[in-house]
Amino acid sequence: NQSQAKYIKNFKMKKIGFIHIPRTGGTYLEAVLEKLGPEKFINFFGTPESQIPNKIGLIENINKDKKMCERIKENPNWETALLFSGHFSRNINDCVGDDNVKYITILRDPIQRVTSFVKKVTTSKRFKSIMMDGSEKIGDDIFWDNFIGYIESNDKRGLISHERHGFSNYMVKVIAGLDLSQEKLVVDEDVFQTAKKNLDNMVYVGLFEEYGKTVNDILELFKIESKFNDNGLKKSEIPEKAKKIITSLNQYDIKLYDYYKNKK
């Protein structure tokens, strides 16, 4: 929108944190942003090879493991970095934040994001074995029946805490700055209002559903000469009963997503 374009044009902040919400196209974007080099772009995932010195495992646990904060500040690239990125919550601001740090993120339709996320975390062998019990392929009806059973039984097998948080109101949790290392997190109206306020204060918010525009806007922000051509996005169809439970788990994410779309 016009206000974001104006902010990008006048951007003079020292650092930007990219809150990489899983399944919003952040991995591709990080690969393009790699053109900045490891001294200007710190990717906590540590890939590709040039980013290995910047790698910090499970940055989601930064409030739990205070040594992570020390490692960030001790990294010689921290002083020169324009951008840092990872699956962190905005609570990272307690470690790195000052008046020179602002944030960007990409939002996605919550039903589609969680659908994609459930399929993705089948990289966990234990979780995959639970989801695929009796199933012929990822995403068939039995797969989704198994997911519903996993949720309704409050199963915790196969996934660590921050992954399980990914099923419900994840966007609100991280934008509000909740601690993903905590087993139980309560998302209520107060948390939603904090997320809304933090979202409004971001340098840039993109939409996965407008991925081409989002990527090109962020490349413009960092003055990277590149052009992304969007070939269109496919929507995943899932059984109605699975859609219903995902919807019930993500009421605040849906509310935040709708708020931002209506604001644009």
Side-chain angles (χ1 to χ4, degrees):
N1 60 30
Q2 286 185 342
S3 63
Q4 284 186 332
K6 183 178 179 182
Y7 207 149
I8 288 173
K9 186 175 181 181
N10 297 325
F11 182 74
K12 294 179 181 178
M13 288 293 173
K14 185 179 178 183
K15 295 188 197 308
I16 292 179
F18 173 37
I19 299 176
H20 179 178
I21 296 168
R23 314 313 295 163
T24 60
T27 301
Y28 171 83
L29 177 59
E30 286 165 339
V32 179
L33 291 168
E34 177 60 23
K35 292 181 179 181
L36 289 169
E39 300 84 12
K40 299 293 185 184
F41 171 37
I42 291 179
N43 185 354
F44 293 134
F45 291 145
T47 54
E49 186 175 342
S50 62
Q51 283 288 348
I52 289 176
N54 294 329
K55 183 174 182 178
I56 297 179
L58 288 181
I59 196 67
E60 299 93 328
N61 291 341
I62 194 164
N63 272 26
K64 194 175 183 179
D65 185 354
K66 300 301 181 183
K67 290 182 179 179
M68 284 186 182
C69 190
E70 295 172 15
R71 287 177 61 193
I72 292 171
K73 294 294 187 68
E74 290 169 358
N75 185 334
N77 292 332
W78 181 250
E79 280 301 311
T80 57
L82 301 173
L83 172 69
F84 58 98
S85 176
H87 287 325
F88 48 75
S89 166
R90 198 183 177 282
N91 69 356
I92 200 173
N93 205 64
D94 296 337
C95 167
V96 305
D98 56 40
D99 292 339
N100 290 326
V101 178
K102 293 289 185 179
Y103 294 89
I104 62 175
T105 197
I106 302 173
L107 303 180
R108 183 177 182 179
D109 171 81
I111 309 304
Q112 289 293 307
R113 194 202 72 78
V114 175
T115 297
S116 179
F117 182 71
V118 173
K119 294 178 180 179
K120 174 64 177 176
V121 292
T122 52
T123 51
S124 161
K125 291 182 180 179
R126 185 84 184 276
F127 182 73
K128 184 176 182 179
S129 70
I130 297 167
M131 295 298 102
M132 298 300 293
D133 185 15
S135 170
E136 293 184 2
K137 65 177 182 178
I138 293 174
D140 66 14
D141 286 355
I142 296 175
F143 175 92
W144 288 111
D145 284 342
N146 291 337
F147 172 70
I148 292 169
Y150 186 90
I151 293 296
E152 290 182 340
S153 64
N154 196 28
D155 203 338
K156 295 179 173 60
R157 292 176 295 162
L159 299 178
I160 55 181
S161 176
H162 80 270
E163 291 171 328
R164 291 195 295 274
H165 285 309
F167 299 141
S168 62
N169 293 316
Y170 185 93
M171 296 194 298
V172 167
K173 289 172 183 174
V174 297
I175 294 170
L178 299 189
D179 181 0
L180 297 178
S181 69
Q182 297 296 314
E183 187 64 39
K184 293 182 180 179
L185 294 176
V186 175
V187 178
D188 55 19
E189 187 63 23
D190 287 342
V191 172
F192 170 74
Q193 290 299 328
T194 299
K196 195 167 113 175
K197 179 181 176 182
N198 288 343
L199 195 72
D200 287 341
N201 287 329
M202 287 190 177
V203 172
Y204 182 80
V205 179
L207 291 177
F208 183 79
E209 287 74 20
E210 298 175 357
Y211 193 64
K213 179 182 184 303
T214 293
V215 170
N216 289 324
D217 283 349
I218 294 174
L219 295 182
E220 178 187 344
L221 174 62
F222 292 100
K223 297 181 173 58
I224 293 176
E225 296 292 331
S226 186
K227 195 72 177 174
F228 174 78
N229 295 315
D230 190 353
N231 295 321
L233 301 167
K234 295 180 180 179
K235 292 186 70 173
S236 296
E237 298 297 330
I238 60 174
E240 192 61 34
K241 54 190 174 181
K243 184 177 180 180
K244 186 176 180 181
I245 195 167
I246 292 173
T247 300
S248 70
L249 290 170
N250 289 276
Q251 288 298 299
Y252 282 106
D253 266 16
I254 292 168
K255 192 175 175 181
L256 188 72
Y257 181 77
D258 289 346
Y259 163 76
Y260 181 71
K261 280 187 68 178
N262 292 331
K263 178 186 171 184
K264 277 173 63 67

